[in-house]
Amino acid sequence: MFLYQWFTHPNIGPEVKKKNFLFVQIDAIGIGLANAAAPFLPVFLTRLGATNFQVGLLTSMPALTGLILAILIGRFLQTRTNIVPYFSAARLLVVLSYALTGLAPFFIPQDYLIYGVLAIWAAATLPQTIVSILFSVVMSQVAGPQGRFELMSRRWSIMGFTTAIAVVIVGRILDQIGFPINYQIVFLALSVGGLISFYFSSRLELPPSPPVLTPKGVKLGDSIRAYFALIGSEKPFVQFALRRFIFLTGISLATPLFPLFYVRTLQASDTWIGIISTSSTAIMIVGYFFWVNRSRKRGTRTVLLWTTFGLSLYPALVAISGRVEMVALLAGFAGIFQAGLDLVFFDELMRTIPPRYSATFVSFAQSMQYLSAVLSPMVGTYLADTIGLAGGLIVAACIRMTAFLLFFTQRAPEYIQDAVQG
């Protein structure tokens, strides 16, 4: 009864409809299932014989598409009064890419299979960009201005629990069945989560947003200047987005290195890779409880500083570890801080954005993230080839630590309000 009350009766204000809240939580179950496939996609390519560069493309391709199109997509979505259909349809297309990956070995010759899988995920980058923009906007509207920590802690707890259980099962299945049919079964089965997500996310009811239309006859140059003037007028947004950009650069650089480190340096089995992923996602559930409580007592600045500091240490600690068991423990350590980072980055980003221009500002923030994500995975894999996987992870840790120091030395009132969440 306690868990039912906690998940279905949030203390986030009367503006949040119970039906929307429930649909967001059930949607999290579907996405949690689909997310269980994510850590095994680069592993699948690695076992097919993909190069470091090809594995890095999984991270850089969505970033390249987002860098090119995020601002344009954001401006288009800003003219829509109802964004829910775009959000749910785009999410479904992304998740169904796992199903296409599972079917690919049946139709693509072995010599071209790696390129076929990469082509599938290249096509998925357009709906991925749409989802990345609309997720923050939709969830913020569901939660209301004071309920983002409350709503997202519950959503991500459900999603993390679902993913953690699914990843353990997936790891065992992969070790028990021969390659590549084992990965095909897993990708096809977990793509069902996309159907669950689509059914419930498409039924969210949000108040219509007044469209922001560009006046006719405005010259392109004037439109671009007005756009950047609007962005630059929100100083708290610019300051926070720049620091967030640096920290996420450190994350993107390490993203393709972790699975390569597991497989090539630690010689980890699929079961152990599943355990590492589960260790991180399972402990995040505890982390969400902890950081929500911490934000109420000490404010969100405390959450921001502790989480960026903790996650700055993680890649370096993994790099100097020599045993897969130690990495599994470190993944749990990182999961606690990742939970807080998810919450505080989402909350602080949306807090600095004018509600009327949510899609515009979120798309700009995402384009900044994509700018680093286009180059960082390639730099990471280059470093792996030159100074080794461990060296690349240490560089990623240094970049993250730089962002932490910038957050630490910046006076709080200039970019963050230490409002207690309630």
Side-chain angles (χ1 to χ4, degrees), residues 410-421:
Q410 181 68 42
R411 287 183 176 274
E414 296 184 22
Y415 71 95
I416 192 172
Q417 300 175 30
D418 268 343
V420 175
Q421 303 295 310

Side-chain angles (χ1 to χ4, degrees), residues 46-234:
T46 302
R47 297 197 188 285
L48 285 174
T51 64
N52 290 352
F53 175 80
Q54 289 170 329
V55 173
L57 283 175
L58 285 176
T59 303
S60 63
M61 287 190 304
L64 181 60
T65 301
L67 178 61
I68 296 171
L69 297 179
I71 291 177
L72 293 176
I73 292 173
R75 299 196 73 178
F76 167 76
L77 294 172
Q78 192 71 73
T79 66
R80 306 296 96 182
T81 58
N82 183 11
I83 58 176
V84 169
Y86 298 92
F87 172 68
S88 58
R91 175 64 66 74
L92 176 63
L93 291 175
V94 173
V95 176
L96 289 183
S97 297
Y98 287 112
L100 294 177
T101 302
L103 293 172
F106 290 126
F107 303 102
I108 302 176
Q110 180 69 28
D111 292 344
Y112 301 98
L113 185 54
I114 293 173
Y115 300 104
V117 172
L118 289 175
I120 290 169
W121 287 96
T125 58
L126 178 58
Q128 279 178 316
T129 302
I130 295 173
V131 170
S132 69
I133 295 170
L134 289 185
F135 176 81
S136 297
V137 179
V138 170
M139 294 301 141
S140 184
Q141 288 189 30
V142 170
Q146 300 302 319
R148 289 186 283 263
F149 260 62
E150 298 286 346
L151 176 70
M152 300 314 296
S153 64
R154 289 162 170 83
R155 175 183 169 81
W156 283 329
S157 293
I158 293 173
M159 193 165 64
F161 178 79
T162 304
T163 300
I165 297 300
V167 164
V168 171
I169 297 172
V170 165
R172 294 298 298 165
I173 291 174
L174 292 176
D175 279 343
Q176 296 298 319
I177 304 175
F179 181 87
I181 192 67
N182 53 351
Y183 280 85
Q184 293 179 255
I185 292 172
V186 163
F187 290 147
L188 286 167
L190 294 178
S191 64
V192 173
L195 299 177
I196 298 173
S197 170
F198 177 76
Y199 181 85
F200 288 97
S201 65
S202 64
R203 283 160 173 73
L204 293 172
E205 296 181 6
L206 302 179
S209 302
V212 179
L213 302 176
T214 302
K216 294 182 179 180
V218 177
K219 295 181 180 180
L220 178 61
D222 293 336
S223 178
I224 293 174
R225 283 190 291 272
Y227 175 84
F228 284 102
L230 174 64
I231 298 296
S233 66
E234 298 293 332

Side-chain angles (χ1 to χ4, degrees), residues 250-268:
I251 290 180
S252 296
L253 191 145
T255 297
L257 302 188
F258 283 120
L260 293 169
F261 188 83
Y262 301 155
V263 174
R264 296 178 180 171
T265 301
L266 298 180
Q267 301 292 312

